[in-house]
Structure formats: C-alpha cells, structure tokens
C-alpha cells in the first residue's frame, strides 16, 4: 500500500493532518497547474491539508468559507479531497475552479457550478507580434520605444510602492489592493517570481510581477498577477512589458503564458449545472458594473493577445448566493 493510499484512507476516516509550509511548496511544484495555485500561498490563507496527498486553500468572511482555485493535488485525487473538505465545510463556495472540480461538486453534492469568468493561455511556441489582430500591441511597443521606454528584468524593489499607490488612485477600487483573487504584491513566499520593470529616463514607470505555474516540478507557464503603471503612462506600458517578458520566456523554452482571470467574461449559453438567475445577474453586472471594476477594459486588453480561452467557475450551494457574493466582494476588498 502506497503512502498516498494510506493518506487517503486516513482522510476517509475523517482525519486531516497539518502540512508544513515547505511541504505545501512541494505540492505546489508538483501539482500547481492552475493559474491561481501560486496565490494559494498568499498570507492569511487557511488550509485543509492531507499529508501525502495535497491541500485546499481557503479564506473565511462573515462565517462563510471561500475556496480559491482547484485543490493542489493530483487530479485523480480531486474527488476524495473535495468530498472530505465538503463534509467539513458543506456550505463553502469555490471560486475560480476548473470544470473537473465543478463536475465532482455538482454530481456528488448537488452544488451549482456557474461560470465566473474566463481564462486565456498563449502557446509561446507559436507566439509572435505579427498579424492584424495584434496591431494594438505593436503600436504600443513602437510608441514606448519612441518615448524612450525600455524594459529590464529585476527583482529589486524599484519605486514599486510609489508606482502602485499612484496607480491605485486611478482605479475604480481606490481604498486597498484587491486580495484573495489577486494575491498581494508583498508575498512572504516569492520563489521563482519574475519581475519586469519599464523605465523612462532611468526612472521606473511600470512593472509586472509574474508567478510560476508548475507541473511535475517544472515551470510550464507564468501568469501576470500584479501589474502597475505610473498614472502618466497608462497607455501601452502593459503591452510593452508583456511583449518583452513573453519574448524572454519564449527564448527560455517556457511552453505557455497564462493571462489569468478575465472576470465576468461569460459564454451566452447556460450549462445545465449553472444557476440561471445568477448567470443573468452576472451578465448584467458585466454590462453595467464598470463603476465597480473595469471588466470590459480588462477583457479587451487580454483579448489582444489572442490566447486560447476557457471557462472558469464558481460553485455554490444556493441558486442565488447573494450573501455569499457580498461577503466575497468584502473579502476581496472590491467593496
């Protein structure tokens, strides 16, 4: 009997152990294929740990439980991990999870699985800036070059906080950095982060932090989780930083680049396990909720990279989880 089988047997009996942080990092590097897997190690997370198998990361707000991302374990262990977690937290909501997680939670426990947004992945093997649909990116890169903007990879803190605070003042959400769905800029764990800065006249005017995505201890992709630009240089800096970083990753042989969550970018078709009323409300929020968050602008920007789109979901007990969504907005500091 393998160690993993023994661990699952213990879990089946209702026991869950406690992993060390180093052990969670080990599971991240083996099974962290989700774009939010790295973010599961952000500060103030709680964990449902199963030594020998993996972990589930979550936060609580107003007595409600919110799981972030897929379980960090082998995909074949999703059913037993989710079953035991559900037994302990039957009213939990699951945010930004994949279709295999939706299938387990819907088929076994009757939870709804409603599309929460989309994600996008770029195959760097075939990536280039050529083509009519990437004209906006090329224009931004050329304009940045004419303005004397250069990009360098650095890991030092180069006016990061000043740029970030100025950037936040230009956003819809001005009081705090969003957390949970976007991990904080200052992480205790930062292994294999990549930082790219844009400079003009020797001064940093923007940056992007990329987080690694793992499979079997190899980095298979990066995702831009933190991006900021000086308020005077909003146009084009993101495209310029991204184009430079992608060329670096491509030269290193990294297979993919993930663009992360595109919130409320929804398919018009309603799937059988989705909550129909909630789906209509989310469509309406996308259409009329830009005062809360720049949903349309973010979707437009990420769509310029022409990545392969796929759905991401939230799973919930009630058909209209109004309290749960309000608690999540508070948890993430959107409101």
């Amino acid at each position: 009997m393998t160690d993993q089988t023994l661990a699952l047997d213990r879990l089946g009996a209702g026991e869950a152990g406690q992993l060390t942080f180093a052990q969670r990092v080990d599971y991240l590097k083996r099974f962290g294929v989700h774009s939010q897997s790295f973010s599961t190690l952000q500060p103030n997370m709680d964990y449902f740990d199963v030594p020998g198998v993996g972990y589930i990361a979550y936060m609580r707000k107003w007595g409600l439980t919110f799981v972030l991302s897929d379980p960090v374990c082998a995909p074949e262990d999703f059913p037993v991990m989710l079953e035991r977690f559900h037994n302990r937290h039957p009213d939990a909501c699951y945010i930004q999870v994949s279709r295999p997680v939706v299938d387990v939670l819907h088929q076994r426990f009757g939870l709804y699985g409603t599309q929460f947004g989309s994600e996008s992945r770029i195959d760097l093997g075939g990536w280039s800036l050529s083509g009519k649909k990437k004209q906006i990116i090329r224009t931004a890169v050329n304009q940045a070059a004419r303005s004397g903007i250069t990009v360098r990879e650095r890991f030092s803190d180069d006016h990061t906080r000043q740029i970030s605070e100025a950037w936040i003042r230009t956003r819809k959400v001005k009081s705090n950095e969003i957390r949970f769905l976007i991990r904080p800029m200052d992480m205790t764990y930062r292994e294999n982060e990549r930082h790219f800065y844009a400079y003009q006249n020797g001064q940093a005017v923007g940056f992007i932090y990329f987080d690694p995505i793992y499979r079997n201890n190899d980095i298979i992709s990066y995702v831009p989780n933190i991006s900021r630009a000086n308020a005077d240089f909003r146009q084009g800096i993101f495209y310029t930083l991204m184009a430079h970083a992608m060329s670096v990753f491509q030269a290193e042989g990294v297979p993919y680049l993930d663009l992360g969550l595109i919130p409320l970018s929804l398919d018009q078709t309603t799937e059988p396990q989705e909550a129909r009323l909630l789906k209509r409300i989310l469509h309406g929020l996308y259409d009329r909720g830009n005062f809360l968050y720049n949903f349309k602008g973010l979707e437009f920007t990420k769509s310029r990279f022409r990545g392969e789109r796929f759905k991401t979901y939230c799973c919930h007990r009630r058909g209209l989880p109004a309290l749960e969504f309000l608690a999540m907005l508070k948890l993430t500091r959107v409101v």
Side-chain angles (χ1 to χ4, degrees), residues 11-70:
L11 186 58
E15 299 178 11
Q18 185 70 27
L19 297 173
T20 66
F21 188 83
Q23 287 172 325
R24 292 194 195 106
V25 170
D26 178 66
Y27 286 114
L28 172 71
K29 291 181 177 180
R30 291 165 61 194
F31 305 120
V33 298
H34 193 283
S35 66
Q36 287 282 41
S37 292
F38 188 89
S39 290
T40 63
L41 298 183
Q42 66 183 277
N44 301 314
M45 277 286 187
D46 291 315
Y47 296 97
F48 182 82
D49 294 326
V50 183
V53 183
Y55 66 89
I56 291 174
Y58 63 97
M59 281 188 180
R60 294 180 62 81
K61 186 71 175 181
W62 295 351
L64 301 171
T65 300
F66 297 91
V67 172
L68 177 65
S69 175
D70 291 356

Side-chain angles (χ1 to χ4, degrees), residues 291-302:
F291 67 95
L292 285 175
Y293 191 83
N294 189 18
F295 300 111
K296 295 179 181 179
L298 181 62
E299 179 173 31
F300 176 84
T301 297
K302 292 188 176 183

Side-chain angles (χ1 to χ4, degrees), residues 22 32 161 264 286 289 314:
R161 181 55 59 183
L264 302 191
Y286 174 87
C314 60

